[in-house]
Amino acid sequence: MDLYEYQGKELFRLLEIPVPDGRAASTAAEARDAAEGLGGQVVVKAQVLTGGRGKAGGIKPADGPAEAESRAEEILGLNINGHVVRRLWVERASEVAREYYLSVTFDRGEKKPLFMLTREGGVDIEEVAASTPEKVARLHVEPLTGFQPFEARWLCFAAGITEPGEMKQVVDIIKKLRGGFSALDAMLLEINPLIVTPEGEVRALDAKVTIDDNALYRHSRIAEGQASEDGDPQERMARERGVTYVKLDGEIGVLGNGAGLVMSTLDVVGQAGGRPANFCDLGGGAQADSVVSALEVITSDRSVRGIVFNIFGGITRGDEVARGLLEALDRLTIDLPIVVRLDGTLAEAGRALLAERAPQNVYVESTMLAAAGRVVELAS
């Protein structure tokens, strides 16, 4: 689960990581009140779960309450990469002498937390890593030994941060990020930029936080505090129904059992000339209740023009999958074409059952490529 900047900064404040003073606002009047309370020059920042806010006009300075209200009116309702701005963060403006980048994320390949630190802050880390990789200091943290203070100092030296006062502060922030990474069950804690003020104070000017969804039961306050009304409606519905779902930008709904199989289906739909509208994983089985929940989420996306249902029966039998799908379709009204690919254990029996009892908008194929080609053809 991704958090908004203002939520991430509240967590950073709890971790005792320095952040600028600020207040959340949902209206232009609230932004004016926030600016009055903060005093002086402020920055009005759109709160959306996407990058590129500055380039899209979602971050604007204001010299006082009246200008903050005006800037808020300009930003609220702005569409930034498909995300409509409904919430703002108004914070006291910071003078910037230098900008760094600091993050800790989970490296799935190494199965270890990975720290990255560079003096090239304020820009996308991907750009820095691609053009000047030698400027990015990287360090994997050993899970068994835990984080060691000398590792933070090594990161600073490797990144070229050698001024004693700055290094001391950055080392302290790295230590607190590492503690928070474990305590919050985080997948990413990112500060970009981590600024140095003209007075030499190091503080987090931005906060990007991703929490492991599987650990949210241990962090109910974080889950409850997420402003769900600002998120993608399909992904919000999926969370409410316990469906593993990721919204994409195509027109072919994709449903399968197993993350690897669904990922393969996305590729094959693309190979057949279509664009996947989502990633949706039923997990190991395909019971009627889970199929109903998944189809409700997929069909709530009005851009979907066809659905491919890709199931491989291992422990789950093909005839059981077919019965679950038929029961689900009895409980739903779906006019879109649905192409079902069944393979594996008792797949022939499942395909025969669907051919005999399925509605007219359900088509059965025996291979993934044939199913992808059929659904793309029907959707067009």
mmCIF file of all heavy atoms in Angstrom, residues 111-136:
data_model
loop_
_atom_site.group_PDB
_atom_site.id
_atom_site.type_symbol
_atom_site.label_atom_id
_atom_site.label_comp_id
_atom_site.label_asym_id
_atom_site.label_seq_id
_atom_site.Cartn_x
_atom_site.Cartn_y
_atom_site.Cartn_z
ATOM 1 N N LYS A 111 17.025 -10.677 -1.738
ATOM 2 C CA LYS A 111 16.264 -10.989 -0.520
ATOM 3 C C LYS A 111 16.817 -10.242 0.689
ATOM 4 O O LYS A 111 16.899 -10.777 1.802
ATOM 5 C CB LYS A 111 16.243 -12.503 -0.260
ATOM 6 C CG LYS A 111 15.592 -13.313 -1.370
ATOM 7 C CD LYS A 111 15.569 -14.793 -1.056
ATOM 8 C CE LYS A 111 14.825 -15.573 -2.127
ATOM 9 N NZ LYS A 111 15.463 -15.472 -3.444
ATOM 10 N N LYS A 112 17.179 -8.982 0.455
ATOM 11 C CA LYS A 112 17.745 -8.150 1.512
ATOM 12 C C LYS A 112 17.280 -6.703 1.324
ATOM 13 O O LYS A 112 17.006 -6.282 0.194
ATOM 14 C CB LYS A 112 19.286 -8.168 1.462
ATOM 15 C CG LYS A 112 19.925 -9.523 1.671
ATOM 16 C CD LYS A 112 21.435 -9.413 1.473
ATOM 17 C CE LYS A 112 22.117 -10.774 1.582
ATOM 18 N NZ LYS A 112 23.578 -10.660 1.315
ATOM 19 N N PRO A 113 17.223 -5.927 2.409
ATOM 20 C CA PRO A 113 17.002 -4.489 2.251
ATOM 21 C C PRO A 113 18.179 -3.846 1.519
ATOM 22 O O PRO A 113 19.331 -4.230 1.728
ATOM 23 C CB PRO A 113 16.896 -3.976 3.690
ATOM 24 C CG PRO A 113 16.558 -5.177 4.507
ATOM 25 C CD PRO A 113 17.242 -6.330 3.825
ATOM 26 N N LEU A 114 17.883 -2.877 0.684
ATOM 27 C CA LEU A 114 18.903 -2.190 -0.097
ATOM 28 C C LEU A 114 18.826 -0.688 0.159
ATOM 29 O O LEU A 114 17.770 -0.072 -0.039
ATOM 30 C CB LEU A 114 18.701 -2.460 -1.593
ATOM 31 C CG LEU A 114 19.546 -1.622 -2.567
ATOM 32 C CD1 LEU A 114 21.029 -1.943 -2.397
ATOM 33 C CD2 LEU A 114 19.090 -1.834 -4.001
ATOM 34 N N PHE A 115 19.941 -0.103 0.611
ATOM 35 C CA PHE A 115 20.047 1.346 0.760
ATOM 36 C C PHE A 115 20.650 1.943 -0.500
ATOM 37 O O PHE A 115 21.577 1.366 -1.092
ATOM 38 C CB PHE A 115 20.940 1.709 1.947
ATOM 39 C CG PHE A 115 20.204 1.844 3.249
ATOM 40 C CD1 PHE A 115 20.192 0.807 4.161
ATOM 41 C CD2 PHE A 115 19.522 3.010 3.555
ATOM 42 C CE1 PHE A 115 19.518 0.925 5.361
ATOM 43 C CE2 PHE A 115 18.848 3.140 4.753
ATOM 44 C CZ PHE A 115 18.839 2.107 5.659
ATOM 45 N N MET A 116 20.137 3.117 -0.887
ATOM 46 C CA MET A 116 20.727 3.887 -1.978
ATOM 47 C C MET A 116 20.848 5.331 -1.526
ATOM 48 O O MET A 116 19.900 5.902 -0.970
ATOM 49 C CB MET A 116 19.890 3.779 -3.247
ATOM 50 C CG MET A 116 19.937 2.411 -3.898
ATOM 51 S SD MET A 116 19.157 2.360 -5.535
ATOM 52 C CE MET A 116 17.436 2.492 -5.059
ATOM 53 N N LEU A 117 22.014 5.917 -1.786
ATOM 54 C CA LEU A 117 22.283 7.295 -1.396
ATOM 55 C C LEU A 117 23.095 7.960 -2.505
ATOM 56 O O LEU A 117 24.059 7.380 -3.009
ATOM 57 C CB LEU A 117 23.054 7.341 -0.076
ATOM 58 C CG LEU A 117 23.498 8.719 0.425
ATOM 59 C CD1 LEU A 117 22.293 9.607 0.729
ATOM 60 C CD2 LEU A 117 24.373 8.566 1.676
ATOM 61 N N THR A 118 22.699 9.169 -2.882
ATOM 62 C CA THR A 118 23.439 9.914 -3.882
ATOM 63 C C THR A 118 23.277 11.406 -3.624
ATOM 64 O O THR A 118 22.273 11.843 -3.050
ATOM 65 C CB THR A 118 22.965 9.583 -5.314
ATOM 66 O OG1 THR A 118 23.668 10.406 -6.252
ATOM 67 C CG2 THR A 118 21.476 9.808 -5.471
ATOM 68 N N ARG A 119 24.264 12.154 -4.066
ATOM 69 C CA ARG A 119 24.181 13.610 -3.964
ATOM 70 C C ARG A 119 23.312 14.203 -5.066
ATOM 71 O O ARG A 119 23.017 15.393 -5.048
ATOM 72 C CB ARG A 119 25.587 14.212 -4.036
ATOM 73 C CG ARG A 119 26.487 13.791 -2.878
ATOM 74 C CD ARG A 119 27.864 14.417 -2.981
ATOM 75 N NE ARG A 119 27.784 15.869 -2.822
ATOM 76 C CZ ARG A 119 28.841 16.684 -2.884
ATOM 77 N NH1 ARG A 119 30.044 16.175 -3.123
ATOM 78 N NH2 ARG A 119 28.700 17.975 -2.721
ATOM 79 N N GLU A 120 22.913 13.380 -6.032
ATOM 80 C CA GLU A 120 22.094 13.839 -7.157
ATOM 81 C C GLU A 120 20.620 13.697 -6.799
ATOM 82 O O GLU A 120 19.904 12.862 -7.334
ATOM 83 C CB GLU A 120 22.414 13.037 -8.419
ATOM 84 C CG GLU A 120 23.867 13.062 -8.821
ATOM 85 C CD GLU A 120 24.316 14.454 -9.239
ATOM 86 O OE1 GLU A 120 23.548 15.148 -9.930
ATOM 87 O OE2 GLU A 120 25.432 14.851 -8.851
ATOM 88 N N GLY A 121 20.148 14.517 -5.870
ATOM 89 C CA GLY A 121 18.757 14.452 -5.447
ATOM 90 C C GLY A 121 17.874 15.371 -6.248
ATOM 91 O O GLY A 121 18.338 16.201 -7.037
ATOM 92 N N GLY A 122 16.568 15.224 -6.055
ATOM 93 C CA GLY A 122 15.611 16.093 -6.726
ATOM 94 C C GLY A 122 15.207 15.639 -8.113
ATOM 95 O O GLY A 122 14.359 16.257 -8.746
ATOM 96 N N VAL A 123 15.808 14.555 -8.621
ATOM 97 C CA VAL A 123 15.442 14.003 -9.935
ATOM 98 C C VAL A 123 15.154 12.524 -9.756
ATOM 99 O O VAL A 123 15.417 11.931 -8.710
ATOM 100 C CB VAL A 123 16.570 14.201 -10.977
ATOM 101 C CG1 VAL A 123 16.821 15.673 -11.207
ATOM 102 C CG2 VAL A 123 17.858 13.518 -10.522
ATOM 103 N N ASP A 124 14.609 11.897 -10.790
ATOM 104 C CA ASP A 124 14.303 10.474 -10.719
ATOM 105 C C ASP A 124 15.579 9.673 -10.536
ATOM 106 O O ASP A 124 16.560 9.857 -11.263
ATOM 107 C CB ASP A 124 13.586 10.002 -11.983
ATOM 108 C CG ASP A 124 12.187 10.585 -12.096
ATOM 109 O OD1 ASP A 124 11.623 10.941 -11.056
ATOM 110 O OD2 ASP A 124 11.665 10.679 -13.227
ATOM 111 N N ILE A 125 15.559 8.745 -9.578
ATOM 112 C CA ILE A 125 16.745 7.939 -9.312
ATOM 113 C C ILE A 125 17.081 7.073 -10.521
ATOM 114 O O ILE A 125 18.244 6.740 -10.763
ATOM 115 C CB ILE A 125 16.533 7.060 -8.056
ATOM 116 C CG1 ILE A 125 17.821 6.339 -7.652
ATOM 117 C CG2 ILE A 125 15.406 6.081 -8.269
ATOM 118 C CD1 ILE A 125 18.962 7.260 -7.261
ATOM 119 N N GLU A 126 16.046 6.725 -11.322
ATOM 120 C CA GLU A 126 16.300 5.920 -12.512
ATOM 121 C C GLU A 126 17.199 6.664 -13.496
ATOM 122 O O GLU A 126 18.057 6.047 -14.144
ATOM 123 C CB GLU A 126 14.975 5.541 -13.196
ATOM 124 C CG GLU A 126 14.104 4.590 -12.405
ATOM 125 C CD GLU A 126 13.255 5.292 -11.370
ATOM 126 O OE1 GLU A 126 13.313 6.557 -11.304
ATOM 127 O OE2 GLU A 126 12.552 4.597 -10.621
ATOM 128 N N GLU A 127 16.990 7.975 -13.609
ATOM 129 C CA GLU A 127 17.817 8.766 -14.520
ATOM 130 C C GLU A 127 19.264 8.795 -14.055
ATOM 131 O O GLU A 127 20.195 8.646 -14.846
ATOM 132 C CB GLU A 127 17.271 10.192 -14.601
ATOM 133 C CG GLU A 127 15.902 10.315 -15.230
ATOM 134 C CD GLU A 127 15.423 11.754 -15.264
ATOM 135 O OE1 GLU A 127 16.254 12.659 -15.032
ATOM 136 O OE2 GLU A 127 14.228 11.973 -15.530
ATOM 137 N N VAL A 128 19.464 8.984 -12.748
ATOM 138 C CA VAL A 128 20.824 9.024 -12.204
ATOM 139 C C VAL A 128 21.498 7.671 -12.364
ATOM 140 O O VAL A 128 22.658 7.575 -12.785
ATOM 141 C CB VAL A 128 20.795 9.433 -10.711
ATOM 142 C CG1 VAL A 128 22.209 9.479 -10.140
ATOM 143 C CG2 VAL A 128 20.110 10.774 -10.536
ATOM 144 N N ALA A 129 20.770 6.607 -12.036
ATOM 145 C CA ALA A 129 21.351 5.263 -12.119
ATOM 146 C C ALA A 129 21.712 4.892 -13.554
ATOM 147 O O ALA A 129 22.696 4.190 -13.797
ATOM 148 C CB ALA A 129 20.376 4.244 -11.548
ATOM 149 N N ALA A 130 20.921 5.393 -14.521
ATOM 150 C CA ALA A 130 21.188 5.055 -15.921
ATOM 151 C C ALA A 130 22.329 5.879 -16.501
ATOM 152 O O ALA A 130 23.180 5.346 -17.239
ATOM 153 C CB ALA A 130 19.923 5.266 -16.750
ATOM 154 N N SER A 131 22.384 7.161 -16.171
ATOM 155 C CA SER A 131 23.379 8.034 -16.790
ATOM 156 C C SER A 131 24.694 8.088 -16.028
ATOM 157 O O SER A 131 25.770 8.147 -16.639
ATOM 158 C CB SER A 131 22.809 9.446 -16.933
ATOM 159 O OG SER A 131 22.428 9.967 -15.664
ATOM 160 N N THR A 132 24.631 8.086 -14.697
ATOM 161 C CA THR A 132 25.851 8.168 -13.870
ATOM 162 C C THR A 132 25.754 7.184 -12.705
ATOM 163 O O THR A 132 25.630 7.600 -11.539
ATOM 164 C CB THR A 132 26.063 9.600 -13.347
ATOM 165 O OG1 THR A 132 24.868 10.027 -12.663
ATOM 166 C CG2 THR A 132 26.376 10.565 -14.477
ATOM 167 N N PRO A 133 25.778 5.893 -12.980
ATOM 168 C CA PRO A 133 25.595 4.901 -11.904
ATOM 169 C C PRO A 133 26.666 4.984 -10.823
ATOM 170 O O PRO A 133 26.421 4.595 -9.678
ATOM 171 C CB PRO A 133 25.656 3.565 -12.649
ATOM 172 C CG PRO A 133 26.376 3.857 -13.931
ATOM 173 C CD PRO A 133 25.998 5.263 -14.282
ATOM 174 N N GLU A 134 27.838 5.504 -11.179
ATOM 175 C CA GLU A 134 28.912 5.593 -10.187
ATOM 176 C C GLU A 134 28.605 6.596 -9.084
ATOM 177 O O GLU A 134 29.238 6.578 -8.012
ATOM 178 C CB GLU A 134 30.229 5.973 -10.876
ATOM 179 C CG GLU A 134 30.312 7.395 -11.397
ATOM 180 C CD GLU A 134 29.607 7.609 -12.743
ATOM 181 O OE1 GLU A 134 29.072 6.616 -13.286
ATOM 182 O OE2 GLU A 134 29.602 8.745 -13.235
ATOM 183 N N LYS A 135 27.608 7.444 -9.296
ATOM 184 C CA LYS A 135 27.256 8.441 -8.284
ATOM 185 C C LYS A 135 26.264 7.917 -7.250
ATOM 186 O O LYS A 135 25.940 8.628 -6.298
ATOM 187 C CB LYS A 135 26.678 9.687 -8.965
ATOM 188 C CG LYS A 135 27.688 10.441 -9.820
ATOM 189 C CD LYS A 135 27.078 11.711 -10.388
ATOM 190 C CE LYS A 135 28.111 12.485 -11.210
ATOM 191 N NZ LYS A 135 27.532 13.734 -11.780
ATOM 192 N N VAL A 136 25.774 6.703 -7.436
ATOM 193 C CA VAL A 136 24.803 6.127 -6.513
ATOM 194 C C VAL A 136 25.493 5.090 -5.630
ATOM 195 O O VAL A 136 25.993 4.078 -6.119
ATOM 196 C CB VAL A 136 23.626 5.461 -7.272
ATOM 197 C CG1 VAL A 136 22.604 4.916 -6.279
ATOM 198 C CG2 VAL A 136 22.976 6.455 -8.228
#
